[in-house]
Each structure stands twice: as structure tokens, then as C-alpha cells.
């Protein structure tokens, strides 16, 4: 494993070996069964290309009323617990006693992308965010703490884990595109990103 630091983002390349990646997909299967992926709508009524769901006490949702954390899936049931295998990654890389309240599961199918944004729906930005990449390669773009300016891009591959803390926590970022079919981890292709956050 190698670690690269770009604008305060620590990216652990190859943190998860193939066996660990496969295990994560296995533990995600019951999560996706009880909390199916849905396509969020922005407040302006546009559908996002990324499909999402969550585990934990808090899940991120977006609809015509805006975006926010909710204690339940849009279909009504509470979110499933964050699998222990995923919490282990958080413990290992952050060393924190406090565990994340939320594990956002983003699924990128062919052509999906995520525009540049800041993550600021959480109460305390002093906690880091941990992100796990699984499946197809993704071109990740990192900007600045204000919108605009020069950006840097890096490919995230299956098994990479990124930790965003300190000033990087409020950096603008997005996913320009994925290389659909570049990984064989997911039978139907695509990319899953797990994002662990302390929300309250
Ligand atoms: C930098 N997800 O869900 S992960 C998101 O690959 C999100 O699905 C992207 O941005 C994805 O909000 C990028 C890397 C990431 C995640 C959270 C961050 C970068 C971050 C929070 C603060 C700063
Ligand atoms: Fe984000």
C-alpha cells in the first residue's frame, strides 16, 4: 500500500486487497436489500445520476424539499446498521473513539458523475470523512475551500481509501466520470463509494 497526499487528502492506494473488497461487497448485499438504492432529486427537481442509500443512524437524502440527513430511508424503514467490517476501516485510519453516524453508499452506473460540491451538512467539521472506492475506476477532482480556482485530478481505483481531515474537510470535490467496466468486482459493473461521516 502507498499513501499519496493531495491538497490535504490522504489517499491510501490499495488499502483493501481483492479479498477484503469482495468481503465488503458481501456485507453490503443485505444493506442494499433492506435499504434499496434510490435516485435523489435536487431541490430544483433534477435527478442525480448517482444512485444512493445509507447505513447508520443518519442517512443522506435529497428531494424537492432539499437535502438533509434523515433517520429513515425514503421508503420508511430505519437505515440498517453500518457493518463491522466498514467500521474497522474508520477505526484503523482515524484512530478515533467516536464512530461514524452515517455510511453513505453511492452507486455510479455507466455515465454517472457527481458535480463539484462541499460536504457541509454535518454539525462538526473537525471530524474527518473517510471514503472507500469499490469497483470501476473514477476520476476524482479536488478544488479549493471556495468555489472555482485551479483543480487537481486523481484516479481512484477499487480498494483505495481516502481520508479528508483538517482544511481538506471543506474542500470542493467531485467525480468527473468513471471508466465503466474497468473492474470486475461488481457483476453488473459500475462503482460503489462508501463515505463515512460523523453527522451530529
Ligand atoms: C472531501 N462522494 O458523497 S468520495 C459525497 O466518490 C462524495 O462518491 C464522492 O463526494 C464519491 O459527498 C467522492 C471522496 C470524498 C468524500 C467526502 C468528502 C471527498 C470529500 C468530504 C469532504 C471533503
Ligand atoms: Fe462529497
Amino acid at each position: 500500500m502507498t499513501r499519496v497526499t493531495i491538497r490535504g487528502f490522504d489517499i491510501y492506494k490499495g488499502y483493501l486487497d481483492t479479498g477484503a473488497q469482495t468481503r465488503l461487497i458481501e456485507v453490503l448485499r443485505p444493506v442494499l436489500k433492506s435499504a434499496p438504492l434510490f435516485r435523489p432529486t435536487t431541490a430544483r427537481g433534477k435527478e442525480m445520476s448517482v444512485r444512493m442509500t445509507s447505513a447508520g443512524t443518519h442517512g443522506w437524502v435529497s428531494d424537492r424539499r432539499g437535502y438533509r440527513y434523515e433517520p429513515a430511508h425514503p421508503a420508511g424503514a430505519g437505515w440498517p446498521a453500518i457493518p463491522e467490517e466498514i467500521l474497522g476501516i474508520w477505526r484503523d485510519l482515524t484512530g478515533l473513539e467516536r464512530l461514524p453516524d452515517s455510511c453513505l453508499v453511492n452507486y455510479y452506473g455507466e455515465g454517472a458523475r457527481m458535480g463539484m460540491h462541499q460536504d457541509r451538512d454535518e454539525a462538526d467539521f473537525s471530524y474527518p470523512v473517510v471514503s472507500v472506492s469499490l469497483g470501476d475506476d473514477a476520476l476524482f477532482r479536488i478544488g479549493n475551500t471556495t468555489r472555482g480556482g485551479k483543480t487537481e485530478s486523481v484516479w481512484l481505483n477499487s480498494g483505495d481509501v481516502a481520508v479528508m481531515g483538517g482544511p481538506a474537510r471543506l474542500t470542493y470535490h467531485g467525480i468527473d466520470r468513471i471508466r465503466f467496466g474497468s473492474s470486475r468486482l461488481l457483476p453488473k459493473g459500475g462503482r460503489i463509494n462508501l463515505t463515512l461521516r460523523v453527522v451530529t
Side-chain angles (χ1 to χ4, degrees):
M1 184 180 67
T2 59
R3 191 184 72 183
V4 296
T5 301
I6 305 170
R7 299 195 181 188
F9 289 66
D10 286 326
I11 305 174
Y12 298 81
K13 303 293 297 176
Y15 175 86
L16 300 167
D17 64 20
T18 308
Q21 293 170 40
T22 303
R23 177 74 189 133
L24 281 190
I25 298 302
E26 278 169 12
V27 302
L28 283 170
R29 205 167 289 136
V31 168
L32 293 168
K33 191 159 181 159
S34 78
L37 292 167
F38 59 93
R39 195 182 289 274
T41 306
T42 65
R44 291 175 173 180
K46 270 197 73 179
E47 280 200 331
M48 294 178 68
S49 57
V50 178
R51 292 197 293 149
M52 296 181 182
T53 191
S54 293
T57 57
H58 293 68
W60 193 84
V61 302
S62 181
D63 55 27
R64 291 309 288 260
R65 290 156 53 207
Y67 46 81
R68 64 206 176 268
Y69 282 97
E70 287 278 3
H73 187 278
W79 307 105
I82 304 175
E84 196 55 42
E85 286 81 356
I86 297 173
L87 294 175
I89 300 171
W90 172 273
R91 285 198 194 89
D92 181 37
L93 292 180
T94 70
L96 294 172
E97 289 288 334
R98 177 75 141 92
L99 294 177
D101 302 310
S102 180
C103 173
L104 178 66
V105 182
N106 290 332
Y107 175 75
Y108 295 74
E110 193 163 12
R113 55 183 299 281
M114 188 180 285
M116 295 291 279
H117 67 278
Q118 267 177 321
D119 287 27
R120 49 181 319 145
D121 301 327
E122 301 77 26
D124 187 346
F125 304 135
S126 67
Y127 285 105
V129 174
V130 172
S131 139
V132 181
S133 291
L134 296 167
D136 289 341
D137 305 337
L139 187 57
F140 181 53
R141 187 193 289 266
I142 305 170
N144 304 285
T145 51
T146 54
R147 197 173 266 293
K150 287 189 175 164
T151 65
E152 286 178 72
S153 294
V154 61
W155 283 96
L156 295 176
N157 310 112
S158 195
D160 292 352
V161 179
V163 180
M164 284 63 66
R169 176 69 181 74
L170 288 169
T171 297
Y172 276 84
H173 58 277
I175 297 289
D176 284 351
R177 59 194 162 91
I178 68 163
R179 267 198 291 242
F180 188 75
S182 53
S183 159
R184 293 174 55 174
L185 184 68
L186 303 174
K188 293 174 190 164
R191 169 175 187 262
I192 287 177
N193 180 264
L194 308 176
T195 311
L196 300 168
R197 299 184 179 88
V198 171
V199 174
T200 59

